[in-house]
Amino acid sequence: MQQAVKSETGGRLQLAEVLDWLAQDGMIHPGPAAQLKKERRYYRGTMHPLLIVAEQKWKRGSQLLSLDVLAEWLAKRFGMEYLRIDPLKIDFAGVTEVMSSAYAKSFRILPVGLTSKEVVIATAEPNVRDWEPELARLIKREIKRVIANPLDIERYQVEFYNLAKSIKGAGQKTAGTSGLSNFEQLVELGKADKQLDANDAHVVRVVDWLWQYAFDQRASDIHIEPRRESGIVRFRIDGVLHQVYQIPAGVLAAMTSRIKILARMDVVEKRRPQDGRIKTKTDSGEVELRISTLPTAFGEKLVMRIFDPEVLVRDFTELGFSEEDRRRWNEMTERPNGIVLVTGPTGSGKTTTLYSTLKTLATPEVNVCTIEDPIEMVEPAFNQMQVVPAIDLGFAEGVRALMRQDPDIIMVGEIRDLETAEMAVQSALTGHLVLSTLHTNDAPSAIARLLELGVPAYLLNATLNGVMAQRLVRTLCAHCKQTIELHRAEDQEVWNALVAPWKSKHPARLYKPVGCLECRMTGYVGRVGIYETLVFSSSLKSLVAQNADLSALREQAFREGMKPLRISGAMKVGAGLTTIEEVLKVAPPVRDPAARS
């Protein structure tokens, strides 16, 4: 067996010594460690010892000894800080100026942070320090070493330097022409020969990088925003925007053109908003991107909304439905005809709920047709049509056309006016199930909105099955959330404010966000829905026929078992899924003191 190099020699880590340390620290059992030492194939090549150990998939108790767990253990062993590299928090252009790509690869290091006084260098070889004096002399800054996952170092050595090189190369080609994206110089649009080609290899690489990082970071939206001197890229992750990178204005304009070409938009037209879509592949399958452009003072702002078809096959429990929510929702959607409405602001998950519902209803025996503005996701099980205002194809005209297509189920993207509402009512009266959305704060308000639009009460009573209002709240990270014991009077007051005007004893314990590497130090991972489900009963129909006001409708709905959004949120808080602050942020207060259950 090859003799392991001891740590005192300053050499690279060897498998035998790492296994000995892991056994000493109780991370692994000595028996398997001794057996692995005998595997001669692991002593050939330059594979990092932590990678070899991670491949064994050993466990310490219930914890898998993953590469991140092992790297964190190594950092503690050497009294160093552990860093999980987050590309969203690193200035690629700045850190890649510290050293060349060849230098970083030679010593298996990666610059990950830069200030006027200090450079942070990630390494997976705590004993290798012969590069440190030379680098400190060249950059005239202090060096802080941190331990990182060796695979991340290897991956980002390639990606950081390639990205910086691409942006720098593209920027050089646009030197002196970045002003062309400004509103003040739109007259220069015809001089396209001055601008960077959207098909330039540098631009293609940057756009591909942008998408891949967005998918890796679970982003729901990508924002590309021009400014006077440069542009910024931001990702929306779990409902919160994070700035990713600053890009020279000329490069940003070329990226926008590249994306517009792929989305089959008019590249020359920069004065009007446009919509398009792109289908691209990821490691997990196909992903749809819905593209929207908006002319601003300094160029075109572009937003890409990411739709993963996988979300449509999830169980309704995963969407956040309680047993009661699911029962009431099924009661509305399993009827052969009628209108079912979903309400909530933009970004509240209405599309996912409707598509997931349609997916369960779209059996081979039924014809499902949709009219949308725009088509959110292309789904083979549906017959989808898009609103085109330029040729007078709106929602009402679309529903009228769909009625001649022998549909069983119709989904209308949104009821915006009386004409669309009347067409939805007529469709329901003639034996079709109609699903649609409205923008109201809660479920009872949807009834009032339809009446305000001019839908006669007797037609509404004849067709409406029910309404569901929804919001999305961020869910606590399971790896780092901490328990809060509730004993103080102030705790009871906070809980009472959440469930008011109901009276409910607060749970014995709640959870708070902390922040860890798994959740990118936010304390939250993913989102879950909270729901307010109103089944349109005979007693509610009587109130509508009597022209009762909204408060009377809401109070009756509460009597019949409808739980408001805040109560639904309180149930998620009590179950340890989210926090009181998250629910208060998105759910409106219950307005009627008389609504106590």
Side-chain angles (χ1 to χ4, degrees), residues 527-561:
R527 290 187 291 177
V528 70
I530 57 174
Y531 302 95
E532 177 180 277
T533 313
L534 180 153
V535 177
F536 200 43
S537 64
S538 56
S539 55
L540 285 169
K541 292 178 182 179
S542 299
L543 290 174
V544 169
Q546 298 165 22
N547 294 321
D549 61 14
L550 178 58
S551 60
L553 293 173
R554 187 178 287 120
E555 186 173 344
Q556 181 60 32
F558 288 146
R559 286 199 190 101
E560 294 180 0

Side-chain angles (χ1 to χ4, degrees), residues 336-337 365-369 405-410 431-434:
N337 60 282
E365 293 80 21
V366 299
N367 177 19
V368 178
C369 299
Q405 291 289 313
D406 186 30
D408 296 292
I409 301 170
I410 298 172
H432 304 91
L433 180 64
V434 181

Side-chain angles (χ1 to χ4, degrees), residues 86 89 218 237-238 240 242 473-482 511-527 576-579 581-582:
D86 184 351
K89 297 179 179 178
R218 302 180 297 102
I237 303 171
D238 295 335
V240 178
H242 301 264
V473 294
R474 292 189 293 171
T475 50
L476 286 162
C477 174
H479 294 87
C480 66
K481 65 180 182 182
Q482 284 187 0
Y511 294 87
K512 67 176 181 179
V514 177
C516 68
L517 300 171
E518 295 294 330
C519 61
R520 299 178 54 256
M521 304 309 294
T522 63
Y524 298 92
V525 175
R527 290 187 291 177
L577 293 176
T578 189
T579 62
E581 292 75 19
E582 279 294 303

Side-chain angles (χ1 to χ4, degrees), residues 467-498:
V467 187
M468 184 172 74
Q470 70 176 84
R471 299 290 191 276
L472 292 177
V473 294
R474 292 189 293 171
T475 50
L476 286 162
C477 174
H479 294 87
C480 66
K481 65 180 182 182
Q482 284 187 0
T483 305
I484 311 172
E485 299 292 337
L486 301 180
H487 300 300
R488 301 174 304 166
E490 303 94 280
D491 298 327
Q492 182 68 58
E493 289 175 9
V494 172
W495 178 260
N496 288 343
L498 175 65

